[in-house]
């Protein structure tokens, strides 16, 4: 087959342009990324050979070999792993076949100085172009006869051709170094980079000698990091292993390294990142935990190892209790794997609880990063629900600090028997909502729930510590009996419940005017400064949840709402007086519609008739100006 030229995927071209024309403080990371990819290729062949031993009939020991050629100004990285076929080269080196690609490149374009983003998205191969003006990839897939050569200068295109000189199996990458990057041909420099970034790689990384009378040098410890005693592993080695296994550059926020013995034997080395993965909320996201069996890599997409709400973790689990030739189908329904999943989940939640108790500020940082996805477990994982509720943190009307449910309950007012919540898209807007005015006035704390998941877990969990969760946007405000002084005169309470004849007349007139646009109109106990608000009836769906379901086309019709009016507001008093004098009329009718429109605007709902709203508002202002003149 003749040489064939192809164009990079648009996102790859943009990425390569950023790489080639930006200044990076850590160019050396290209070698770490290429060694990491080579190690993965060896892992994949080792697993494939369990069921196809003929793939490794020529040799059994894996190695990653580095070679420099000062004359040609090249650095080579070769492995004897799984290798690539022609289509693999196109798919792996010509496209970024991952969710969130466009968003990733846009972020990289906005922060071109941040080379760390390259590794964070798992496209480390392209980091080679930070030091290379041309890259050649010669490869042969294990078990196949044809070898292939991929060549590119990173300028928008690449070529593919058959290669009779490709390795017997595996991949050899040759970097033609740029002017000024000759340091990456220096054996001392290469040794320092490998020692810093790749010592944990379980495959030997060998620097080939340029002299016949000098032996090749193995530059790394070449043993699985998780099998070593913790006392022998440095913080730097842990960090670089996290970078390798997570394809990321950030610092791990929390590390768990443990060995479980007994009915099940497995080792875990898990990390919680300090930054969000790009595909955290993408539907086709992958898990971040690699599964090994007896130190043999099995898969990096084992969703059975951890529940989805812990998908932000990175690391490995190595077990002795699964067969080496375990299939994907066996993993999905394996009782041993299910037990490991339960034990891992409990261990992680236990460590998070310790962190929350001993370092609340650090835990708050974790929660601000991963709280929205962590809360998915509140409705997904009934078995761990109690532990998850204890770990959950929320914003509230009590201040700027995150609060736990235990904190909230400890601060409940005398006579308060519910945990009050309000859901929406913005905590700052929620804090100004009319529905919470009466609660704030009485010092009653309200949880401000602004994540989309909040509406759903609240429907699955009725209470905490015997205290029901209750939305302030639904039903009666229940404010009368909260924090009522002992011995309070019941006549005062009855007096507060009474309404004036003029207010009753106004309510009746507004009901008659709005008709079926509202379910009811009533005097409000929750409003203190706003004239009106909308609330759901006691048995109806929460207003914000209904809005979310409608946006997702999962609900056809909205429930009619109750319009509450503030009897102490000057506008309401003036309207009541107007009805008392003249029995309503056009002015009060327009005002009734404007009150409903105002309540809709506050809720973020579209106005049913914006033109009518504008006309009524103009008319009302005009009347006020004329009467004032």
């Amino acid at each position: 087959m003749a040489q064939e030229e192809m164009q990079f995927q648009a996102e790859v071209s943009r990425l390569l342009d950023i790489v080639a024309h930006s200044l990076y403080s850590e160019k050396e990371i290209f070698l770490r990324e290429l060694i990491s990819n080579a190690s993965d290729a060896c892992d994949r062949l080792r697993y494939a050979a369990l069921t196809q031993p003929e793939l490794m009939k020529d040799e059994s020991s894996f190695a990653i070999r580095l070679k420099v050629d000062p004359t040609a100004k090249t650095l080579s990285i070769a492995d004897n792993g799984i290798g690539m076929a022609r289509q693999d080269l196109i798919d792996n080196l010509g496209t970024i076949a991952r969710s969130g690609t466009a968003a990733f490149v846009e972020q990289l374009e906005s922060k071109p100085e941040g080379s760390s983003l390259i590794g964070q998205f798992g496209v480390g191969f392209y980091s080679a172009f930070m030091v290379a003006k041309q890259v050649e990839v010669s490869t042969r897939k294990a078990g196949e006869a044809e070898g292939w050569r991929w060549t590119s200068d990173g300028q928008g295109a690449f070529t593919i051709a058959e290669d009779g000189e490709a390795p017997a199996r595996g991949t050899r990458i040759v970097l033609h170094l740029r002017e000024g990057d000759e340091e990456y041909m220096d054996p001392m420099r290469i040794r320092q980079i490998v020692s810093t970034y790749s010592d944990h790689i379980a495959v030997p990384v060998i620097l080939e000698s340029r002299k016949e009378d000098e032996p090749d040098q193995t530059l790394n410890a070449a043993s699985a990091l998780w099998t070593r005693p913790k006392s022998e592993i440095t913080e730097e080695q842990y960090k670089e292993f996290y970078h390798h296994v997570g394809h990321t550059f950030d610092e791990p926020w929390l590390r768990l390294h443990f060995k479980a013995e007994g009915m099940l034997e497995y080792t875990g080395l898990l990390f919680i990142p300090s930054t969000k993965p790009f595909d955290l909320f993408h539907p086709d996201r992958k898990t971040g935990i690699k599964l090994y069996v007896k130190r043999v890599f099995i898969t990096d997409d084992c969703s059975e190892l951890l529940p989805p709400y812990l998908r932000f973790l990175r690391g490995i689990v190595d077990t002795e209790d699964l067969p080496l030739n375990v299939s994907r189908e066996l993993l999905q329904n394996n009782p041993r794997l299910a037990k490991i999943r339960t034990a891992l989940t409990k261990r992680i939640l236990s460590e998070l609880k310790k962190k929350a108790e001993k370092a609340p500020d650090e835990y708050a940082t974790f929660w601000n990063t991963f709280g929205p996805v962590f809360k998915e477990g509140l409705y997904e994982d009934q078995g761990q629900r109690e532990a998850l509720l204890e770990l959950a943190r929320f914003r509230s009307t009590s201040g700027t600090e995150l609060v736990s449910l235990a904190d909230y309950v400890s601060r409940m007012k005398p006579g308060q028997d519910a945990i009050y919540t309000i859901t929406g898209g913005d905590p700052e807007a929620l804090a100004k909502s009319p529905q919470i005015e009466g609660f704030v006035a009485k010092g009653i704390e309200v949880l401000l729930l602004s994540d989309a998941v909040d509406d759903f877990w609240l429907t699955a969990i009725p209470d905490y510590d015997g205290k029901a969760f209750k939305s302030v946007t639904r039903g009666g405000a229940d404010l009368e009996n909260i924090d009522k002084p002992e011995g309070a005169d019941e006549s005062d309470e009855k007096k507060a419940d009474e309404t004036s004849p003029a207010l009753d007349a106004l309510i009746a007139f507004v009901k008659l005017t709005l008709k079926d646009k509202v379910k009811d109109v009533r005097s409000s106990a929750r409003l203190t400064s706003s004239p009106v608000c909308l609330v759901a009836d006691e048995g109806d769906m929460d207003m914000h949840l209904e809005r979310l379901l409608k946006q997702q086309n999962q609900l056809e019709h909205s429930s009619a709402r109750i319009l509450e009016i503030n009897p102490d507001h000057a506008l309401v008093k003036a309207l009541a007086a107007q009805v008392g004098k003249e029995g309503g009329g056009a002015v009060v009718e327009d005002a009734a519609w404007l009150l409903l429109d105002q309540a809709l605007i506050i809720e973020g709902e579209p106005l049913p008739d914006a033109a009518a709203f504008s006309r009524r508002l103009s008319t009302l202002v005009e009347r006020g100006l004329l009467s004032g003149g």
Side-chain angles (χ1 to χ4, degrees):
M1 181 181 289
Q3 179 171 293
E4 184 177 1
E5 182 171 287
M6 300 181 182
Q7 297 298 310
F8 282 117
Q9 177 194 34
E11 284 81 1
V12 176
S13 293
R14 291 164 64 193
L15 174 65
L16 289 173
D17 184 65
I18 296 167
V19 169
H21 297 95
S22 301
L23 296 175
Y24 294 96
S25 60
E26 296 178 336
K27 279 187 176 183
E28 64 203 44
I29 60 95
F30 82 90
L31 187 55
R32 185 199 85 172
E33 291 298 303
L34 297 182
I35 290 174
S36 180
N37 290 347
S39 172
D40 288 344
C42 293
D43 280 343
R44 294 181 188 282
L45 178 57
R46 183 185 286 114
Y47 177 58
L50 293 173
T51 53
Q52 298 174 275
E54 67 276 9
L55 296 180
M56 290 181 60
K57 61 184 179 181
D58 53 340
E59 58 178 303
S60 58
S61 59
F62 291 102
I64 300 168
R65 308 187 75 87
L66 310 181
K67 183 179 180 180
V68 297
D69 185 339
T71 303
K73 292 187 177 180
T74 61
L75 169 63
S76 303
I77 301 95
D79 67 72
N80 55 351
I82 192 72
M84 288 180 279
R86 178 179 178 276
Q87 192 60 43
D88 294 329
L89 283 170
I90 297 171
D91 294 341
N92 296 340
L93 306 187
T95 64
I96 306 176
R98 290 193 58 178
S99 58
T101 300
F104 157 69
V105 176
E106 287 171 7
Q107 183 169 348
L108 189 59
E109 286 177 328
S110 68
K111 300 178 181 178
E113 74 285 354
S115 63
S116 63
L117 288 172
I118 293 175
Q120 187 171 337
F121 196 68
V123 290
F125 169 78
Y126 303 113
S127 65
F129 287 96
M130 290 194 289
V131 299
K133 59 187 177 184
Q134 185 174 349
V135 177
E136 297 173 4
V137 179
S138 183
T139 185
R140 193 188 312 268
K141 192 163 188 175
E144 296 192 2
E146 298 86 2
W148 300 93
R149 179 181 296 271
W150 179 100
T151 306
S152 178
D153 60 3
Q155 298 301 307
F158 59 91
T159 62
I160 290 182
E162 285 195 37
D163 185 3
E165 298 181 0
R169 74 159 195 257
T171 301
R172 179 176 62 247
I173 300 174
V174 180
L175 308 181
H176 295 264
L177 297 173
R178 296 179 184 275
E179 194 75 29
D181 288 321
E182 294 85 355
E183 65 180 283
Y184 301 111
M185 293 185 292
D186 181 356
M188 292 293 291
R189 181 75 168 108
I190 292 173
R191 185 180 297 109
Q192 179 261 325
I193 295 171
V194 173
S195 175
T196 299
Y197 295 110
S198 305
D199 188 63
H200 62 273
I201 296 291
V203 178
V205 180
I206 299 169
L207 178 61
E208 295 185 0
S209 173
R210 300 204 309 269
K211 299 179 181 178
E212 292 184 3
D213 57 344
E214 289 184 0
D216 296 343
Q217 299 179 51
T218 300
L219 305 181
N220 64 326
S223 65
L225 187 79
W226 62 90
T227 64
R228 305 181 206 169
K230 286 189 277 188
S231 60
E232 298 178 8
I233 306 174
T234 67
E235 287 297 320
E236 191 66 24
Q237 288 172 325
Y238 272 128
K239 184 174 73 172
E240 290 311 322
F241 181 79
Y242 164 69
H243 291 161
H244 164 69
V245 77
H247 291 289
T248 184
F249 276 63
D250 66 330
E251 299 291 319
W253 179 76
L254 183 66
R255 179 183 73 241
L256 291 80
H257 188 186
F258 54 88
K259 184 172 184 179
E261 297 178 326
M263 295 290 291
L264 292 170
E265 290 191 17
Y266 58 92
T267 299
L269 180 49
L270 308 177
F271 302 87
I272 293 179
S274 56
T275 59
K276 294 178 185 176
F278 279 94
D279 56 353
L280 186 62
F281 292 101
H282 200 278
D284 62 357
R285 61 190 173 265
K286 278 189 173 184
T287 180
I289 306 298
K290 294 185 177 184
L291 175 65
Y292 286 75
V293 174
K294 299 179 178 70
R295 267 69 63 201
V296 175
F297 170 75
I298 302 299
T299 179
D300 59 359
D301 188 19
C302 185
S303 59
E304 292 77 15
L305 267 175
L306 285 176
Y309 63 89
L310 294 178
R311 61 184 175 270
F312 50 84
L313 269 84
R314 298 292 181 262
I316 67 94
V317 172
D318 187 353
T319 179
E320 303 286 328
D321 296 301
L322 293 173
L324 278 171
N325 61 347
V326 64
S327 67
R328 182 79 183 118
E329 291 72 27
L330 286 176
L331 285 176
Q332 290 176 344
N333 298 291
N334 191 288
R336 291 180 178 177
L337 199 61
K339 290 180 180 178
I340 292 175
R341 171 189 173 120
T342 299
L344 284 175
T345 301
K346 288 182 178 179
R347 186 182 290 269
I348 292 164
L349 298 185
S350 176
E351 289 299 317
L352 286 173
K353 182 179 180 181
K354 292 177 186 176
K355 198 76 169 179
E357 292 172 350
K358 296 178 181 178
D361 290 342
E362 291 182 30
Y363 185 76
T365 300
F366 157 78
W367 188 262
N368 286 329
T369 306
F370 295 112
V373 67
F374 191 82
K375 281 189 285 188
E376 291 175 12
L378 290 173
Y379 69 87
E380 289 178 351
D381 194 347
Q382 189 171 354
Q384 302 296 336
R385 187 167 289 169
E386 186 175 338
L388 293 170
L389 282 172
E390 295 293 341
L391 289 168
R393 297 293 183 269
F394 307 94
R395 307 229 169 257
S396 82
T397 54
S398 68
T400 58
E401 300 294 324
L402 292 173
V403 301
S404 68
L405 291 174
D407 293 333
Y408 182 101
V409 170
S410 70
R411 296 196 288 256
M412 287 174 62
K413 296 289 185 181
Q416 181 181 349
D417 58 4
I419 297 172
Y420 291 102
T421 66
I422 184 170
T423 58
D426 179 10
E428 292 186 5
L430 292 177
K432 300 173 184 175
S433 173
Q435 283 106 340
I436 69 171
E437 289 176 357
F439 294 87
V440 173
K442 297 191 91 173
I444 300 168
E445 191 170 4
V446 179
L447 299 182
L448 309 174
L449 308 181
S450 57
D451 296 319
V453 67
D454 290 321
D455 290 281
F456 298 98
W457 71 258
L458 281 169
T459 63
I461 302 178
D463 62 77
Y464 168 79
D465 194 27
K467 308 295 189 297
F469 290 103
K470 187 163 187 178
S471 172
V472 299
T473 67
R474 185 188 296 158
D478 295 339
L479 291 171
E480 289 83 0
N481 295 323
I482 300 177
D483 205 22
K484 184 174 68 176
E486 279 189 43
D489 192 338
E490 289 189 11
S491 63
D492 292 339
E493 185 180 337
K494 290 178 181 178
K495 188 177 179 180
D497 289 336
E498 293 174 357
T499 56
S500 67
L503 181 61
D504 289 337
L506 173 63
I507 290 174
F509 184 87
V510 174
K511 280 184 186 180
L512 188 63
T513 301
L514 301 182
K515 297 180 180 177
D516 60 352
K517 297 301 181 183
V518 293
K519 194 169 190 177
D520 194 10
V521 181
R522 67 189 181 200
S523 177
S524 178
R526 78 185 78 224
L527 294 171
T528 60
S529 57
S530 299
V532 289
C533 72
L534 287 170
V535 298
D537 202 0
E538 190 67 45
D540 290 346
M541 187 180 295
D542 182 80
M543 294 167 62
H544 186 247
L545 176 58
E546 185 177 276
R547 188 155 61 244
L548 285 176
L549 294 176
K550 281 192 67 180
Q551 291 170 354
Q552 298 169 10
N553 297 318
Q554 295 184 27
L555 196 67
E556 292 185 8
H557 304 290
S558 299
S559 303
R561 300 305 182 195
I562 296 169
L563 181 69
E564 290 195 355
I565 60 177
N566 182 358
D568 296 320
H569 195 278
L571 174 59
V572 174
K573 287 181 177 180
L575 291 172
Q578 181 78 9
V579 173
K581 289 178 184 177
E582 301 178 9
V587 174
V588 182
E589 184 176 335
D590 279 349
W593 285 106
L594 286 172
L595 287 173
L596 176 59
D597 287 339
Q598 182 180 353
L600 289 169
I601 291 170
I602 292 171
E603 283 302 312
E605 297 281 359
L607 295 180
D609 190 342
F613 166 75
S614 178
R615 177 184 56 77
R616 292 183 186 116
L617 184 61
S618 298
T619 300
L620 197 65
V621 172
E622 181 182 342
R623 285 172 181 152
L625 290 173
L626 290 175
S627 63

